Amino acid sequence: MGEMTSYRLSDFILFSQATYFRQFELYNQAIWPLHLVAILFSCVIIFALWKKPAWAGRIIAGLLVVSWCWVAWAFLYERFYKIHLVANWYAMGFILQAGLLTWYGVIKNQLNTFVTSQSKTFIGSGLLFITFILYPLIPFMSGRSWLQFEMFSLAPDPTALATLAILFIYKSPKLLYVVPLIWVLISGVTLLSM
Amino acid sequence: MKNQYNQSRRRFMQFLALGMSGSVGGLFNPRFSQANSTLISKPIPSSNEPIPVIGLGSSRTFNVGDDPVALDNVAKVMQHFFNAGGRMIDSSPMYGSSQPAIGYGLNKIAKTKDVFAVDKVWTWDAEMGTEQMEQSRQYWNIDAFDLMQVHNLVEWEHHLETLYEMKQQGKIRYVGITTSHGRRHDELEDIMKTEPLDFVQFSYNIVDREAERRLLTLAKKRGIAVIINRPFQRGDLIDELEGKPLPKWAKDIDCKNWPQFLLKFVVSHPAVTCAIPATSQLEHVKENMAACYGALPDKAMRTRMIDYVEKII
């Protein structure tokens, strides 16, 4: 495996930017009308964070678990893996995050206390707004086909960003930050390397 | 008068290029015509089989997944490539869905028998090599590969043994080994000195000429055909030169644009057999294949090309 050290991450980005974004277009066409379910997920999360019912943390964690699992299977493994040889590893990372959210969020109910820091709440809420509302508009704003939009619960980047936003708003176990942060790093490097 | 001068000069350049090729121990045999209509080929040293100096790479450009629109575009690019006289297409299991895309294209344009099929074995599990190569063959939808190479020197001792056996059994015709972007040249040099290779593949272009110092000289001396990958530095060179003026004397070597200029520089090296630029653009494959025609630069012209590019970059 010594040869592996002679590779750089960009050596594994063996697809063009056009091909990458086109995957989202094909994916969106293939999974319609699941977008309506994703919108429903977003609405439930916003409602739960706003009204703060007792069940909020568990429900939000449950929706995140479903989202991370869906993205791992439907996008990363079934679609992205066809053009990206390490996307199956990414899928495993997403499944791991789903497992962690199940354990800490659903089973142990550790997403049950909101942070007291106003700045953290502000950052978390802002990031959530950007992810839910602005992120799907990026293709339209950047002159690409609007069909290439990426939505929370369906695409990896907005799912990771929304998760980070929610972790910011709650007093969350630090371990839950690891996979989303690694994904943001990987995705950023991928976008820069294409 | 000017046209006459240009024609004479062009013929002189062709004569020089022919002379230069002849002086390299029979490595060169470009088939020039008096005009631009004859495809330039060079012989593979181990067999003397001629191969056009421009091939087609598939890294990044053909990795399009199952996108039906992009797959049809791949077929169109390949069609233009073959129409312009191209033969060699190169791929690797590392290039995602490029192999199935090539298979789709070859089948669609009915060129499975005409292609000079080049692929690679790329696995750290020595036992998996044969299985991987068979999978690649099925993706390509061809009877057999012409050239099989060990990709980026991965497990090269084991894979080369397998490839020699396959060559003896008539399952492949040529054996090679590859590296890219200037990695591990020392190790590649050692392998070239000791192994009976037909082909070697590495990166070389007008601004990255490290390979000239040892690898190209050694290949010439050992009678190994050389395939050059990344002649445009993955497109970075084209981006840097975009908008900058092509020198007026580029027409003396029949270059109308930068891709042709850069490709002619690469394939005019006496030890280089062919270059394999990758593209998914129809216009680009036409531009690239035009470098297969007309005059090639001689040694003096190559120096002039380097000087010019280094001044404007």
Side-chain angles (χ1 to χ4, degrees):
Chain A
M1 290 293 283
E3 291 88 352
M4 281 302 282
T5 56
S6 71
Y7 287 92
R8 294 168 298 177
L9 181 62
S10 62
D11 292 336
F12 292 94
I13 312 297
L14 290 170
F15 46 84
S16 66
Q17 201 175 53
T19 297
Y20 175 73
F21 290 129
R22 176 92 170 126
Q23 298 310 304
F24 290 102
E25 188 170 347
L26 295 167
Y27 174 66
N28 283 329
Q29 287 170 342
I31 64 170
W32 170 257
L34 278 179
H35 306 84
L36 300 177
V37 178
I39 291 170
L40 180 68
F41 277 23
S42 303
C43 292
V44 171
I45 288 172
I46 291 168
F47 178 81
L49 290 173
W50 180 35
K51 293 290 183 185
K52 301 178 183 173
W55 47 264
R58 270 209 164 98
I59 286 293
I60 290 173
L63 294 178
L64 290 178
V65 168
V66 174
S67 302
W68 281 80
C69 284
W70 171 262
V71 172
W73 176 72
F75 184 79
L76 293 173
Y77 188 73
E78 286 290 313
R79 182 158 296 277
F80 198 29
Y81 186 37
K82 284 177 185 161
I83 64 163
H84 197 28
L85 292 175
V86 293
N88 55 340
W89 293 11
Y90 298 162
M92 283 190 269
F94 270 57
I95 294 294
L96 173 67
Q97 179 68 9
L100 291 171
L101 284 164
T102 303
W103 178 249
Y104 288 109
V106 180
I107 297 172
K108 296 185 82 176
N109 195 23
Q110 289 195 6
L111 294 184
N112 62 357
T113 313
F114 287 93
V115 289
T116 49
S117 159
Q118 279 195 333
S119 59
K120 272 193 164 186
T121 307
F122 180 76
I123 291 170
S125 307
L127 189 56
L128 208 57
F129 172 79
I130 289 168
T131 306
F132 285 168
I133 309 295
L134 297 183
Y135 210 91
L137 301 177
I138 289 176
F140 182 74
M141 292 189 291
S142 58
R144 289 189 275 122
S145 164
W146 69 271
L147 285 170
Q148 295 174 357
F149 65 86
E150 298 169 51
M151 275 182 75
F152 162 71
S153 195
L154 301 176
D157 289 3
T159 301
L161 289 174
T163 303
L164 285 172
I166 290 162
L167 294 178
F168 256 74
I169 293 169
Y170 280 108
K171 285 184 178 170
S172 321
K174 298 283 184 286
L175 196 56
L176 291 177
Y177 281 92
V178 177
V179 175
L181 284 173
I182 290 174
W183 177 257
V184 168
L185 186 69
I186 287 173
S187 186
V189 171
T190 301
L191 289 166
L192 287 173
S193 303
M194 285 189 299
Chain B
M1 207 44 202
K2 195 176 176 185
N3 280 345
Q4 269 186 337
Y5 169 78
N6 283 344
Q7 278 185 1
S8 302
R9 178 165 172 75
R10 186 172 299 141
R11 284 189 189 129
F12 179 64
M13 297 297 291
Q14 289 170 347
F15 176 77
L16 278 179
L18 199 60
M20 181 179 69
S21 66
S23 69
V24 195
L27 265 180
F28 268 69
N29 184 22
R31 290 184 282 148
F32 290 116
S33 71
Q34 52 188 340
N36 296 343
S37 58
T38 305
L39 188 75
I40 306 172
S41 297
K42 288 188 184 182
I44 297 164
S46 64
S47 67
N48 265 333
E49 177 184 357
I51 193 83
V53 292
I54 303 297
L56 186 62
S58 63
S59 171
R60 281 186 179 227
T61 50
F62 285 5
N63 183 16
V64 295
D66 55 6
D67 182 348
V69 176
L71 283 169
D72 281 343
N73 182 62
V74 167
K76 280 182 194 161
V77 166
M78 289 165 67
Q79 182 72 69
H80 278 77
F81 173 71
F82 283 110
N83 287 349
R87 282 187 65 210
M88 178 189 283
I89 297 179
D90 173 271
S91 193
S92 166
M94 188 186 179
Y95 303 161
S97 58
S98 294
Q99 294 175 312
I102 290 170
Y104 173 87
L106 287 175
N107 196 44
K108 181 159 185 179
I109 63 175
K111 289 289 184 186
T112 51
K113 305 287 182 197
D114 302 312
V115 64
F116 187 98
V118 180
D119 211 308
K120 306 182 188 85
V121 55
W122 180 66
T123 168
W124 282 267
D125 183 347
E127 307 304 315
M128 286 293 292
T130 308
E131 191 179 317
Q132 186 185 67
M133 287 184 273
E134 173 56 18
Q135 176 69 73
S136 299
R137 190 194 65 75
Q138 288 177 21
Y139 281 143
W140 278 64
N141 198 21
I142 55 172
D143 295 333
F145 285 110
D146 294 287
L147 163 62
M148 183 57 72
Q149 309 156 103
V150 179
H151 193 158
N152 280 353
L153 314 189
V154 171
E155 284 294 324
W156 64 268
E157 294 98 331
H158 295 104
H159 291 321
L160 275 185
E161 266 181 44
T162 309
L163 295 186
Y164 294 144
E165 273 176 34
M166 288 173 71
K167 185 181 172 185
Q168 270 199 328
Q169 293 164 1
K171 291 179 179 171
I172 54 172
R173 298 201 295 136
Y174 301 105
V175 173
I177 194 160
T178 80
T179 184
S180 59
H181 28 43
R183 271 195 304 244
R184 301 170 67 191
H185 278 188
D186 289 342
E187 194 175 355
L188 180 62
E189 190 180 358
D190 290 341
I191 297 166
M192 288 169 68
K193 280 178 185 167
T194 54
E195 296 292 331
L197 300 168
D198 299 301
F199 275 85
V200 67
Q201 182 183 142
F202 46 79
S203 305
Y204 170 62
N205 56 63
I206 199 164
V207 295
D208 178 10
R209 302 186 302 279
E210 162 70 20
E212 283 179 353
R213 291 201 304 120
R214 292 176 303 171
L215 295 184
L216 286 167
T217 311
L218 181 60
K220 190 169 72 175
K221 187 178 163 192
R222 295 270 298 159
I224 303 171
V226 175
I227 300 173
I228 297 299
N229 57 41
R230 303 174 191 240
F232 304 141
Q233 276 190 328
R234 254 184 177 176
D236 291 349
L237 256 176
I238 301 282
D239 292 343
E240 281 195 66
L241 290 166
E242 195 178 1
K244 292 180 175 155
L246 201 63
K248 283 182 182 169
W249 42 263
K251 65 179 182 295
D252 295 340
I253 46 169
D254 300 304
C255 291
K256 291 177 181 167
N257 49 52
W258 280 115
Q260 286 162 19
F261 187 95
L262 298 172
L263 286 172
K264 287 211 172 188
F265 174 82
V266 167
V267 301
S268 63
H269 190 285
V272 171
T273 309
C274 65
I276 48 168
T279 181
S280 58
Q281 308 287 317
L282 297 181
E283 280 312 307
H284 292 174
V285 80
K286 286 178 195 169
E287 283 175 0
N288 294 346
M289 286 309 291
C292 249
Y293 295 86
L296 282 182
D298 62 1
K299 194 174 176 183
M301 179 61 90
R302 284 172 54 83
T303 306
R304 197 176 181 188
M305 293 165 89
I306 293 168
D307 290 344
Y308 184 79
V309 168
E310 286 183 346
K311 264 183 208 159
I312 61 171
I313 275 189

